[in-house]
Amino acid sequence: MSEKPFVELNNINKSFPGVKALTDVTINFYRGKVHVLLGENGAGKSTIIKVISGVYQADEGILKVDGQEEVFMNTRQSLAKGISVIHQELSVIPDLTVAENIFLGREPKIGKSGLIDKPKMNLDAKKLLESIGVKINPKEYIRKLNNGDKQMVEIARAISQNSSMVIMDEPTSSLSEHEVQALFRVINKLKSENVAIIYISHKLKEIAEIGDHITILRDGNVVKTVSLSEITESEMIALMVGRKMTQFYYKAENAIQNEVVLEVKNYTKAGQFEDVSFQLKKGEILGIAGLVGAGRTEVMRAVFGADKVDSGECIVFGQPVKFKSPKEAIKMGIGLIPEDRRNQGLLLEKSVKENTSLSSIYANSKKGFIDFRWEIDSTLDYIEKMRTKTPSERAIVKNLSGGNQQKVVIAKWLLAKAKILIMDEPTRGIDVNAKAEIYALMKKFVEDGGSIIVVSSELPEVIGVSNRIMIMREGKVSGILDAAEATEKDIMKYASIHAGN
C-alpha cells in the first residue's frame, strides 16, 4: 500500500434539511487499490462521492487530494485534480453519438481551426472501447443502445480522462456477465496503473472478487474499515443492517396450478422477439431469466401495451385482449414496475403522495375532483405498510434512496389494486435489507391472490423467489424450469445455448 493516501476524508459532516447525511466520516483511499463502500440505501455512500467530486461541499471536516486540502465547488474542479465518476444513474446524452459522449468537452480539433476532428474522435473511441472488450459502433446514437452498452460508454468516458481516481457507483447494475468480466479486467488494468478506485455495489459476491478494502456505513456513520480478506459476507450484512438477517428470499407456496390468469401465445415483434409463449398462474411468481439483450424487457412491455406486437395472442383472466396502450392494461389489473424506475416508473419532481396515487386517482375522484383526503390517507397507509423511509408524504420522490423509490412504485400498483404485477429488475441498485423487504412484499402479494412476473439478471434472486423460471435467448423462449430444482448452471445452459421447451 502506498504510504500516502490519494484522497483523505477527515471528520466530514454533511446535513440537509431534517437529515444528517454524514457524521464525522474519516476514510483514506489509496492508489492502486479498490476501496469498497458498502451500506444500505441512505447510509451516506452517494453523499461521500458527491463531496469528493464537488457536487456537495462538506459542512465540517477536511478533504485532501494528493496531500493538499481542497474544497471543490463543482465537478469540473475535481476532474481537474484527476477524479472521475461513473454514476449509477446513466448520465449519457441520448442524441449524441457514442464517440461524442466519450469525448464531450474534450473533442480533438483539426489544427487551430477549432473544428472537431470527427474521424480521429471516432477512431479513438473505437480503440478505447476495444481496449475494454466492448464492440459498440462509435458512430451509433446513444438512444439506440441498451442499458448495458450505455453503461460501458460511461465507463469508457471515465477511463479516457486518464484519471488518478475513478469512482464507480453500481457500475454493473445494467451489465451482462460478459460485460461484468470485461469491467473487472479494466479495473485490474487501472490498479496496475496505480489508479485509486472507489467501488459501490450491493452485490456481495462481486465485492469479494474485486475489492481490496471495505468501509461499511450505517446512517451516515463509518461502522468499520477493514481488508476484504478479513471479513465474511454474513459479517458485512450484519454490520450494514445492524442485526443478523435470518431470512433473505421469500418464496410463495400456494400457486393455483389450474387457474391461468395470463397467457401469451406466439408473441412476435420483428427484430426483438419471436414466437414467445407462456402462462402465468394465480398465486405464482414466474421468473424470467436470460442474458442482457435476450428480449425479456421487450416482451413485458408488449404484454403491458407499451409496445405493439406483429403477431400473437394475449389472454388475460380468460379474455382475449389487444392492448392499444398501458391504460387498457391497467384497467384489466396489470401493473408494470419498469427496469428504469427513475425515468419510466416515477415522476421524480413530484411527491411521494402524487406518485403513489398516480394510477388510481381518477378511479377515486369525486365528480371529477381529486379526493385529497383519500389521497393523503392512502399514501400514509402504504408508507406504514411498506416501511418506506420518507420525511412525509409530501417529500419529493427524487430525494429518496433507491430502495424507497422502488417501494413507492410498488405502492402505486398495490393502491391501484393490480392483480398481475410485472416487475422488471425490481431490486437493481437496492441494498440487501430493502431487497429482503421487497421479497416479503412480493410473497404477500401472491399469497393474497395476485400473480407476479419478475424479470431478473441476478440468478440467485430469480431462483430464490420464483415458482417457475422461463429462460430467454436471442428473443426466443429456450426453456421453462421448476425453480425448486433449477440451478444457476441449468439456467445459464438455456440462456447461452439453444434448448427446446
Side-chain angles (χ1 to χ4, degrees), residues 30-33 163-166 190-191 193-197:
Y30 293 87
R31 290 180 180 271
K33 300 293 180 183
S163 303
S164 299
M165 170 177 272
V166 177
L190 291 173
K191 284 175 64 177
E193 294 168 356
N194 216 26
V195 175
I197 297 165

Side-chain angles (χ1 to χ4, degrees), residues 302-320:
V303 170
F304 189 59
D307 297 324
K308 291 182 179 178
V309 294
D310 299 327
S311 60
E313 294 178 70
C314 183
I315 300 166
V316 180
F317 300 115
Q319 181 179 333

Side-chain angles (χ1 to χ4, degrees), residues 135-204:
K135 293 180 180 178
I136 303 173
N137 181 356
K139 299 177 185 177
E140 186 64 88
Y141 284 97
I142 288 289
R143 64 178 131 79
K144 294 186 178 179
L145 303 183
N146 63 38
N147 278 348
D149 285 344
K150 289 175 186 173
Q151 186 74 292
M152 293 308 284
V153 172
E154 290 247 32
I155 291 163
R157 180 168 64 191
I159 291 164
S160 74
Q161 292 161 346
N162 296 318
S163 303
S164 299
M165 170 177 272
V166 177
I167 301 173
M168 301 184 175
D169 189 359
E170 295 283 353
T172 63
S173 62
S174 301
L175 302 186
S176 67
E177 184 59 32
H178 169 76
E179 289 166 330
V180 169
Q181 292 308 313
L183 173 63
F184 286 177
R185 287 193 293 273
V186 170
I187 290 172
N188 286 324
K189 182 171 181 285
L190 291 173
K191 284 175 64 177
S192 71
E193 294 168 356
N194 216 26
V195 175
I197 297 165
I198 299 177
Y199 194 90
I200 295 177
S201 177
H202 294 302
K203 299 178 181 178
L204 301 184

Side-chain angles (χ1 to χ4, degrees), residues 434-487:
K435 280 185 180 183
E437 290 178 340
I438 286 171
Y439 298 147
L441 288 168
M442 291 165 66
K443 180 176 187 285
K444 184 174 189 311
F445 179 80
V446 294
E447 288 181 347
D448 287 345
S451 305
I452 291 175
I453 300 174
V454 59
V455 177
S456 178
S457 298
E458 293 191 35
L459 297 185
E461 175 175 87
V462 82
I463 293 170
V465 303
S466 305
N467 300 108
R468 290 183 304 135
I469 302 168
M470 180 176 92
I471 305 104
M472 292 188 66
R473 176 183 177 269
E474 295 179 351
K476 296 181 179 179
V477 176
S478 57
I480 296 179
L481 305 174
D482 183 337
E485 299 169 2
T487 66

